C-alpha cells in the first residue's frame, strides 16, 4: 500500500489513503481493506503498474496488488439511484470528498506524515459519534438509495447517532429503497445482523422508517402480545431484539434464523382463554421462505434458516424424545446453530435453560458414530432378499434404523430378522 502511494508520488501525482480505512484507523479499529485516491488518471496508473487490473474504467478504478486505486472524481447526474450518468476526473481531493457519502468516510490520510485532509468535517463527527451525510442529505440519498441502509449500519456498528437532518432525509426517501437490487439490500441487512449491535440496527431501521419497507413482516412484531408466564419481557418485537442482543459472533444463517424464528406469530395470534399462536411455526416457515426468496438467498442459506425456524419448538420435548428421535434431531445440519437459537430464545424470555443444558450435554457426549451409525440394512439389501419397492419399503428401513439407534439391535443378522418380521403379507 505504501509502495503504491510512493510510486504515484514519485511520478508527480498526489495520492492518499481514503474512506473506511482512514475512519477505522482513527477509531483504532482493525483495517480490513485499503483504498487509495489519486490525481493520476487510469491510463497513468496502468503505465506505472502494467500488471494492474482496470475494473471500473468509467469511474477511474484500478486494482493494484489487491488495493483499489481510484482517480479523484466528481459525479454527474444520478438517474437510477445507484450510478452517475457521467463522471469528471479531478486533480483536487476536495472535489472528490464532496461526492462521497458520509463525513466520516470523506477523509484522506497521508501514511508517510500522518496528516489528515478533512474537507467535510469528518474528524469532528467521528469524535462526536455522528453519521452525517456530506452536503445535502436528500441529494446524497437520491444519488444512491443504498446509502440509507449504510447510514443505519454504520451508526449501529460504531454506536453512533444519525444526524437529525440526515435521518429526516432517510425517512422521506425510505420508499425509494425498493429501487435497489434485492441482493444489495440482503447484503446490507446481513452485515447489520452480524457485524455487531444487531439490536440497535433493527431499532434504527425502525426509527428511520426503513424497517417497514425492507422487512414489513418484522415490523408486524410490534405490539403482538405474548403469554406473560412464558414471555415476561413483552411483545414479539421486544423478544426478538433481546435475542439479537444475546448473540455473540453469529453466522449469517443463525442471525436470520433468530430474526425470523417467530415471524409466524403475528398472523396466528389468538386470545381466548389465553394467548395462543397455533401453527405459528408452519406459518413462519411459509412467510420466511417468501422473504428469503425475495432477497435471493442461496439455496444452502435459505434451507438452513428455514430449518432453524421449523425446528425451534422441538426443544420443548427433547427430554422425552426416544433415543432414535433425539439422534435424528442432532443430525440436523449445523445443529450448533439450533442449540444457540434455543439458548437465546429461553434466555430472552422465561430463562429456563434445563432443556438447553440437556441438549448441549447429550450432543457433546454422544459419539458421532452413535448419532449417525453405518446402516445395518439398506434398500439394496431388501431387494436382494426378494422384496419389491413399495409403500412399506421405507417404513421397514426406518423401523430397522430406529431399533439400531435405540440400541435394540447391533448386527446385520438382527436387522434382517427384524425386517422379515415386519414384511407385509404381499411380500412388498
Amino acid at each position: 500500500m505504501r509502495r503504491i502511494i510512493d510510486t504515484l508520488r514519485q511520478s508527480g501525482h498526489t495520492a492518499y489513503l481514503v474512506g473506511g480505512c482512514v475512519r477505522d484507523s482513527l477509531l483504532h479499529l482493525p483495517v480490513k481493506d485499503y483504498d487509495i485516491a489519486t490525481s493520476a488518471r487510469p491510463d497513468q496508473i496502468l503505465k506505472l503498474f502494467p500488471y494492474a487490473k482496470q475494473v471500473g474504467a468509467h469511474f477511474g478504478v484500478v486494482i493494484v496488488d489487491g488495493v483499489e486505486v481510484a482517480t479523484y472524481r466528481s459525479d454527474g447526474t444520478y438517474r437510477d439511484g445507484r450510478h452517475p450518468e457521467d463522471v469528471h476526473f479531478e486533480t483536487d481531493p476536495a472535489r472528490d470528498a464532496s461526492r462521497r457519502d458520509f463525513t466520516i468516510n470523506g477523509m484522506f490520510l497521508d501514511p508517510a506524515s500522518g496528516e489528515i485532509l478533512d474537507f467535510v468535517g469528518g474528524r469532528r463527527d467521528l469524535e462526536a459519534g455522528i453519521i452525517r451525510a456530506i452536503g445535502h442529505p436528500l441529494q446524497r440519498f437520491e444519488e444512491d438509495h443504498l446509502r440509507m441502509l449504510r447510514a443505519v449500519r454504520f451508526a449501529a456498528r460504531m454506536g453512533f447517532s444519525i444526524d437529525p437532518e440526515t435521518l429526516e432525509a432517510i425517512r422521506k426517501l425510505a420508499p425509494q429503497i425498493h429501487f435497489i437490487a434485492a441482493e444489495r439490500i440482503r447484503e446490507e441487512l446481513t452485515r447489520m445482523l452480524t457485524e455487531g449491535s444487531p439490536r440497535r440496527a433493527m431499532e434504527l431501521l425502525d426509527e428511520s422508517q426503513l424497517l417497514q419497507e425492507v422487512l414489513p413482516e418484522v415490523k408486524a412484531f410490534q405490539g403482538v402480545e405474548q403469554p406473560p408466564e412464558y414471555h415476561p419481557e413483552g411483545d414479539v418485537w421486544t423478544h426478538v431484539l433481546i435475542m439479537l442482543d444475546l448473540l455473540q459472533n453469529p453466522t449469517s444463517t443463525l442471525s436470520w434464523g433468530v430474526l425470523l424464528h417467530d415471524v409466524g406469530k403475528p398472523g396466528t395470534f389468538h386470545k381466548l382463554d389465553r394467548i395462543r399462536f397455533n401453527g405459528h411455526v408452519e406459518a413462519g416457515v411459509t412467510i420466511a421462505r417468501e422473504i428469503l426468496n425475495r432477497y435471493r438467498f442461496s439455496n444452502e442459506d435459505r434451507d438452513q434458516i428455514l430449518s432453524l425456524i421449523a425446528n425451534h419448538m422441538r426443544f420443548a420435548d427433547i427430554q422425552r424424545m426416544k433415543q432414535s428421535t433425539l439422534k435424528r434431531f442432532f443430525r440436523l445440519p449445523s445443529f450448533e446453530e439450533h442449540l444457540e437459537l434455543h439458548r437465546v430464545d429461553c434466555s430472552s424470555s422465561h430463562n429456563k435453560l434445563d432443556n438447553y443444558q440437556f441438549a448441549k450435554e447429550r450432543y457433546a457426549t454422544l459419539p458421532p458414530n452413535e448419532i449417525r451409525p453405518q446402516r445395518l440394512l439398506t434398500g439394496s439389501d431388501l431387494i436382494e432378499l426378494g422384496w419389491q419397492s413399495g409403500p412399506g419399503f421405507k417404513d421397514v428401513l426406518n423401523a430397522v434404523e430406529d431399533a439400531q439407534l435405540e440400541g435394540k439391535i447391533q448386527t446385520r443378522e438382527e436387522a434382517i430378522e427384524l425386517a422379515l418380521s415386519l414384511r407385509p403379507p404381499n411380500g412388498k
Side-chain angles (χ1 to χ4, degrees):
M1 170 267 294
R2 286 287 296 273
R3 183 183 64 83
I4 297 170
I5 291 177
D6 289 344
T7 301
L8 287 165
R9 290 180 171 179
Q10 288 164 8
S11 300
H13 308 292
T14 61
Y16 300 93
L17 292 173
V18 67
C21 62
V22 180
R23 175 199 68 221
D24 290 345
S25 293
L26 292 173
L27 289 172
H28 304 292
L29 297 173
V31 176
K32 296 179 181 178
D33 300 299
Y34 289 95
D35 294 318
I36 294 172
T38 178
S39 60
R41 301 294 180 95
D43 59 321
Q44 295 171 321
I45 300 171
L46 289 169
K47 273 187 179 180
L48 293 171
F49 307 98
Y51 54 86
K53 182 179 179 182
Q54 190 164 2
V55 295
H58 184 63
F59 301 101
V61 179
V62 177
I63 301 297
V64 183
D65 294 333
V67 176
E68 187 174 291
V69 182
T71 305
Y72 304 142
R73 74 172 202 255
S74 58
D75 295 340
T77 304
Y78 285 72
R79 293 193 184 276
D80 63 354
R82 181 179 180 184
H83 297 120
E85 289 197 339
D86 55 272
V87 302
H88 306 283
F89 293 140
E90 306 284 354
T91 58
D92 183 358
R95 296 294 300 275
D96 186 76
S98 66
R99 58 95 186 168
R100 293 178 178 270
D101 54 5
F102 307 110
T103 60
I104 62 169
N105 295 334
M107 294 177 285
F108 299 77
L109 170 65
D110 181 342
S113 67
E115 177 190 8
I116 299 290
L117 300 185
D118 183 7
F119 308 103
V120 293
R123 194 156 196 176
R124 174 199 63 211
D125 287 340
L126 201 65
E127 292 170 355
I130 294 173
I131 303 297
R132 188 193 312 274
I134 292 173
H136 300 290
L138 283 172
Q139 181 181 347
R140 290 288 83 78
F141 297 133
E142 284 173 339
E143 289 169 348
D144 185 348
H145 307 319
L146 195 71
R147 287 171 172 169
M148 296 187 286
L149 289 174
R150 284 167 57 83
V152 169
R153 176 165 63 84
F154 286 137
R157 191 185 79 184
M158 294 185 283
F160 285 12
S161 62
I162 300 178
D163 161 66
E165 187 180 357
T166 299
L167 182 60
E168 188 54 37
I170 296 173
R171 288 171 175 159
K172 184 173 182 178
L173 297 178
Q176 294 190 27
I177 199 65
H178 298 291
F179 292 107
I180 293 295
E183 295 89 341
R184 296 182 79 207
I185 296 174
R186 179 196 68 220
E187 289 306 309
E188 284 299 319
L189 293 174
T190 298
R191 293 180 73 177
M192 289 181 201
L193 290 169
T194 57
E195 286 186 347
S197 301
R199 173 178 183 158
R200 181 62 181 146
M202 290 300 112
E203 291 172 335
L204 284 171
L205 279 178
D206 189 37
E207 290 175 28
S208 64
Q209 299 179 14
L210 284 167
L211 183 65
Q212 64 198 44
E213 302 295 336
V214 295
L215 289 171
E217 301 89 348
V218 174
K219 174 71 175 177
F221 294 171
Q222 296 172 1
V224 178
E225 296 179 73
Q226 299 187 101
E229 62 271 28
Y230 299 112
H231 289 279
E233 74 280 8
D235 64 4
V236 178
W237 172 247
T238 303
H239 172 59
V240 170
L241 290 181
I242 296 173
M243 287 180 69
L244 291 172
D245 225 9
L246 292 172
L247 290 174
Q248 297 177 348
N249 302 315
T251 62
S252 60
T253 50
L254 175 57
S255 296
W256 277 99
V258 167
L259 181 66
L260 300 178
H261 81 287
D262 276 345
V263 74
K265 279 189 171 180
T268 57
F269 174 85
H270 286 92
K271 189 175 184 179
L272 298 172
D273 55 324
R274 62 181 179 85
I275 295 172
R276 299 177 186 271
F277 299 102
N278 295 332
H280 87 272
V281 171
E282 295 77 11
V285 169
T286 299
I287 296 168
R289 181 179 286 110
E290 293 172 355
I291 295 170
L292 300 174
N293 288 341
R294 181 167 82 224
Y295 287 121
R296 300 178 184 177
F297 279 73
S298 69
N299 291 339
E300 182 181 359
D301 285 353
R302 181 197 61 203
D303 291 347
Q304 176 62 9
I305 295 165
L306 293 178
S307 178
L308 289 167
I309 297 166
N311 290 284
H312 80 275
M313 293 296 291
R314 292 182 65 190
F315 284 89
D317 300 318
I318 199 163
Q319 296 192 54
R320 298 186 295 275
M321 285 180 180
K322 295 191 305 180
Q323 284 301 299
S324 55
T325 305
L326 180 67
K327 290 172 182 177
R328 283 197 173 95
F329 189 30
F330 287 167
R331 288 181 189 176
L332 289 172
S334 300
F335 183 76
E336 297 83 0
E337 292 189 5
H338 292 268
L339 198 57
E340 180 63 4
L341 190 151
H342 178 64
R343 182 188 72 83
V344 297
D345 199 3
C346 296
S347 299
S348 64
S349 52
H350 51 69
N351 204 35
K352 296 177 182 176
L353 295 171
D354 50 327
N355 287 333
Y356 167 74
Q357 293 295 347
F358 175 85
K360 181 182 178 182
E361 291 169 10
R362 291 289 288 147
Y363 184 67
T365 55
L366 269 175
N369 64 343
E370 286 192 32
I371 295 175
R372 195 185 295 272
Q374 184 174 352
R375 282 177 173 260
L376 296 173
L377 207 62
T378 67
S380 298
D381 294 327
L382 290 184
I383 291 172
E384 285 182 12
L385 290 170
W387 290 37
Q388 298 178 28
S389 181
F393 197 82
K394 185 176 180 181
D395 292 339
V396 170
L397 288 173
N398 285 338
V400 170
E401 187 184 24
D402 277 349
Q404 181 184 4
L405 292 172
E406 295 286 345
K408 295 176 181 178
I409 60 173
Q410 285 85 35
T411 67
R412 172 180 164 81
E413 290 71 24
E414 290 174 325
I416 292 173
E417 182 180 353
L418 176 58
L420 291 173
S421 72
L422 297 170
R423 186 171 188 172
N426 61 7
K428 294 184 179 181

